[in-house]
Amino acid sequence: MKTLVIIPAYNEQDNIVKLVEEIRKYDYDYLVINDCSKDETARILDEHHFSHFDLPINLGIAGVTRVGFLYARDNGYDCVICIDGDGQHQPKYISLLENEIENGMDYCVGSRFVNEKKPRNMRMFGSRILCALIKFKTGKKVTDPTSGMRALGRRLIEDFSQSMNFYAEPDTICYLLHQGYKVKEVQVKMKEREAGVSYFHSPFKSMYFMLAEIMTILFVR
């Protein structure tokens, strides 16, 4: 099976080298998509001769991944693995997701909570709300709806390269379950961000994300 690892990157100058070098140890094809970073990410990608695109404008995560899906479709890939550029998603787990696609799944999510208990904190409270809403809308249980580590098979690569109107991972998985796609979660461990700043470092951005996802799941998906 021909697999491509897509790595969206925005201001990841301190993380991207270590991540790409680790991915290359496993001999996967990869593509870093630099989402108009304002730091030194573009220069670092050029200097290390990493496979990458530099976008002229900031598209956000949905737009960036769609660029990756278009590239995967046009180059005949059977499977796409999406991982974040901050290094939290460990490349050693890529094969677990890839195997599920090879075994007939359309979509596979790397989840922290398939076999492990979800901690009780404010961030996980939001995750529980999203899980409950997805269960309400689809009748299906998910454990880690915000995980950005996911794999897509050929059918979804084709579909998402043509039309991908999703805000983030929770409404994507809600849509897929509602449409009857074969979806599975596999247990992975994620690391803490070692450098840089998360998109959700701002309480306002976290609240906006939650409200947007709640409204989308309830009234769009």
Side-chain angles (χ1 to χ4, degrees):
M1 185 165 65
K2 189 177 179 183
T3 297
L4 175 69
V5 180
I6 295 175
I7 311 164
Y10 179 71
N11 293 347
E12 296 293 356
Q13 63 180 22
D14 298 319
N15 298 306
I16 198 65
V17 173
K18 183 178 179 180
L19 174 61
V20 172
E21 288 181 344
E22 188 172 355
I23 289 171
R24 292 169 76 171
K25 292 178 183 177
Y26 294 90
D27 202 30
Y28 288 111
D29 290 352
Y30 70 91
L31 179 66
V32 181
I33 305 178
N34 174 30
D35 194 19
C36 199
S37 295
K38 297 178 181 179
D39 64 0
E40 297 298 311
T41 298
R43 178 185 61 79
I44 290 169
L45 292 171
D46 285 336
E47 286 184 353
H48 286 78
H49 304 290
F50 290 155
S51 174
H52 71 282
F53 289 156
D54 291 315
L55 300 182
I57 60 172
N58 182 271
L59 295 181
I61 189 64
V64 169
T65 49
R66 187 177 179 191
V67 170
F69 299 148
L70 284 164
Y71 178 88
R73 182 200 66 184
D74 292 346
N75 288 275
Y77 285 94
D78 305 299
C79 175
V80 162
I81 309 287
C82 299
I83 65 173
D84 292 346
D86 58 14
Q88 294 187 77
H89 301 149
Q90 301 185 65
K92 67 181 181 180
Y93 294 114
I94 289 175
S95 62
L96 297 181
L97 281 70
E98 184 183 40
N99 289 341
E100 295 299 334
I101 299 301
E102 193 163 23
N103 291 334
M105 292 292 112
D106 294 305
Y107 192 80
C108 183
V109 178
S111 168
R112 294 163 287 181
F113 309 118
V114 174
N115 302 320
E116 297 188 12
K117 192 172 182 179
K118 190 174 293 187
R120 295 189 175 276
N121 55 40
M122 187 56 66
R123 185 173 181 181
M124 290 302 107
F125 176 71
S127 177
R128 286 184 168 89
I129 291 175
L130 294 173
C131 288
L133 290 175
I134 293 171
K135 180 72 177 293
F136 171 72
K137 291 289 287 190
T138 69
K140 305 291 184 179
K141 178 183 176 181
V142 298
T143 65
D144 200 355
T146 60
S147 172
M149 188 175 194
R150 52 226 171 98
L152 295 80
R154 185 188 291 272
R155 183 160 65 132
L156 280 182
I157 294 171
E158 180 67 30
D159 289 352
F160 281 6
S161 66
Q162 296 183 52
S163 177
M164 187 187 176
N165 185 26
F166 302 106
Y167 178 66
E169 291 86 359
D171 62 306
T172 301
I173 197 169
C174 184
Y175 168 81
L176 295 174
L177 289 169
H178 193 263
Q179 295 297 317
Y181 285 97
K182 296 178 182 178
V183 176
K184 185 173 182 178
E185 293 179 298
V186 296
Q187 180 68 46
V188 302
K189 289 184 181 294
M190 296 184 190
K191 299 187 295 185
E192 294 296 323
R193 171 185 277 272
E194 295 180 357
V197 178
S198 168
Y199 174 83
F200 297 109
H201 72 284
S202 163
F204 174 78
K205 288 184 177 180
S206 296
M207 291 176 61
Y208 179 85
F209 172 83
M210 277 298 300
L211 289 173
E213 283 301 287
I214 290 170
M215 296 299 288
T216 302
I217 291 171
L218 284 177
F219 301 112
V220 178
R221 300 300 166 214

